[in-house]
Amino acid sequence: MSDAQDLLLDMIAALPDPVFVLTESGRYVALLGGHDRQYYHDGSHLVDFTLNDVLPAEKADWFLQEIRTTIHQNRLRIVEYSLAGRDVSGLPTDTGPRGDLWFEGRVQPLANPINGERAVVWVASNITERHDLQGQLQTLSETDELTGVYNRRKLLAELEQNFAKFQRYHTPLALLIFDIDYFKLINDQHGHLFGDQVLRDLAQQCQSQLREPDTLGRFGGEEFALVLPNTELKQALQLAERLRLDCEQMRFASTTNNAAITISIGLSVATKTDRDITDLLRHTDDALYRAKHAGRNCVKYRTPDTGSPPSMDL
């Protein structure tokens, strides 16, 4: 064997990331490199098996689609995907990384067929640390540091997304804006650290009342907003009243005495006259203003554009 061939074999064996050769039918033809068990499992047993032999049907179908798209487009494609050791049948999991892993796949079509089939080279790079860091940074950018709920920017993005669904599919959408009554007095009497704790406890209490698709965010200061997708006015009012009563019953222990709070709530549902979220926000803010001027500790809402206000049984 020549020195050039020896060098080529050494280079292939030393490839840091695993390189798969896969046919358009999903058969593993070869696996090269990727021997660092800190980042990759030993997948040598996969050769001559198919994706459908070793992967759950949904994941196998996804890989097959990516392979066939790459062959059809005849160009390099880059994809990101999640795959854990437990997803691959027969993979030894006593060595190698644990848990859910994220990979960047660089998929390149081969010029010549293998046993009559088109094929691709698939280089899988473990990007789990980068993916997790990106997730953490995104969470930080979307979260209010004090209360742990979403911040204003994320809240408006969720409202925009749900308003687009309302316009396209006419799915109901409700918005609540509420704030703590006389919050300045709480800070003046008990201090700002106590006021911060009130905000945290209030956010936690409200969050515990919500459904998975609902979005709670701190709008600023002592003001919060709540986006309620697929929610009609009657259901939104029932939730608003429940939140108001829950907050009224909360007690906060300070160094001097116990404190109580109340909240005022403005509510609006999206209607066909709303051109964008600015209109919906304005109507909801107007309802909050009326709640404040009605004596606070109450819920006010914009009535629908057509028909009578709903009969409420709160």
Side-chain angles (χ1 to χ4, degrees):
M1 188 177 293
S2 67
D3 291 343
Q5 289 175 318
D6 288 340
L7 177 60
L8 179 60
L9 291 175
D10 286 343
M11 290 172 58
I12 292 174
L15 288 172
D17 297 325
V19 179
F20 300 88
V21 179
L22 290 155
T23 67
E24 59 186 328
S25 67
R27 182 169 298 280
Y28 291 90
V29 176
L31 169 59
L32 311 168
H35 299 300
D36 190 336
R37 295 295 166 253
Q38 180 181 353
Y39 297 102
Y40 304 106
H41 295 93
D42 179 7
S44 57
H45 75 290
L46 298 174
V47 175
D48 290 333
F49 284 95
T50 69
L51 291 164
N52 284 307
D53 291 332
V54 298
L55 293 178
E58 183 177 352
K59 288 187 179 291
D61 290 345
W62 181 85
F63 279 99
L64 280 168
Q65 183 60 49
E66 295 302 325
I67 291 169
R68 291 165 183 171
T69 300
T70 299
I71 290 173
H72 176 73
Q73 295 182 0
N74 197 33
R75 64 176 180 86
L76 172 68
R77 297 178 63 250
I78 300 174
V79 294
E80 289 191 9
Y81 56 97
S82 175
L83 191 66
R86 63 179 179 275
D87 294 328
V88 185
S89 177
L91 198 69
T93 55
D94 53 333
T95 59
R98 301 186 183 279
D100 294 331
L101 306 175
W102 279 87
F103 296 92
E104 178 185 85
R106 302 178 69 85
V107 194
Q108 176 74 44
L110 291 175
N112 298 313
I114 299 175
N115 296 327
E117 283 193 274
R118 293 293 308 274
V120 300
V121 171
W122 188 303
V123 182
S125 301
N126 188 328
I127 60 167
T128 304
E129 291 183 7
R130 186 184 81 191
H131 184 272
D132 291 347
L133 178 59
Q134 288 174 339
Q136 293 169 15
L137 292 174
Q138 181 173 349
T139 298
L140 288 173
S141 71
E142 296 174 344
T143 303
D144 176 61
E145 184 177 2
L146 176 63
T147 63
V149 298
Y150 284 131
N151 58 22
R152 182 187 181 95
R153 185 168 67 89
K154 172 63 174 177
L155 186 76
L156 291 176
E158 288 291 318
L159 181 59
E160 190 78 61
Q161 181 178 346
N162 281 284
F163 189 80
K165 291 180 182 178
F166 159 75
Q167 289 186 310
R168 183 171 183 180
Y169 303 111
H170 309 293
T171 54
L173 173 64
L175 175 67
L176 275 67
I177 300 179
F178 61 94
D179 68 10
I180 302 173
D181 298 325
Y182 303 111
F183 185 68
K184 184 178 183 301
L185 288 178
I186 293 176
N187 280 330
D188 291 344
Q189 293 175 4
H190 304 285
H192 288 278
L193 291 178
F194 181 81
D196 288 348
Q197 188 59 52
V198 169
L199 291 172
R200 283 191 289 266
D201 290 349
L202 171 63
Q204 184 177 3
Q205 176 63 28
C206 293
Q207 189 73 60
S208 69
Q209 299 292 322
L210 305 183
R211 307 165 302 177
E212 190 276 332
D214 300 335
T215 302
L216 174 67
R218 187 182 178 196
F219 224 42
E222 70 273 22
E223 190 172 75
F224 295 81
L226 179 56
V227 179
L228 301 171
N230 297 310
T231 305
E232 302 280 3
L233 177 59
K234 182 174 181 178
Q235 289 71 37
L237 278 166
Q238 289 171 339
L239 173 60
E241 183 64 15
R242 187 163 68 247
L243 291 177
R244 186 192 68 79
L245 290 172
D246 284 347
C247 293
E248 188 179 46
Q249 294 167 8
M250 294 178 71
R251 294 295 181 268
F252 305 88
S254 72
T255 55
T256 55
N257 55 19
N258 290 336
I261 64 168
T262 60
I263 61 173
S264 298
I265 303 177
L267 188 159
S268 184
V269 293
T271 72
K272 60 184 179 181
T273 62
D274 293 325
R275 295 163 298 178
D276 50 35
I277 65 170
T278 302
D279 287 339
L280 183 57
L281 285 164
R282 175 170 51 80
H283 287 302
T284 312
D285 201 51
D286 288 346
L288 175 60
Y289 179 84
R290 288 191 288 111
K292 291 290 187 182
H293 282 262
R296 295 179 168 81
N297 191 24
C298 62
V299 180
K300 294 295 180 181
Y301 61 96
R302 173 179 64 163
T303 57
D305 293 337
T306 59
S308 301
S311 174
M312 300 307 302
D313 182 17
L314 299 176

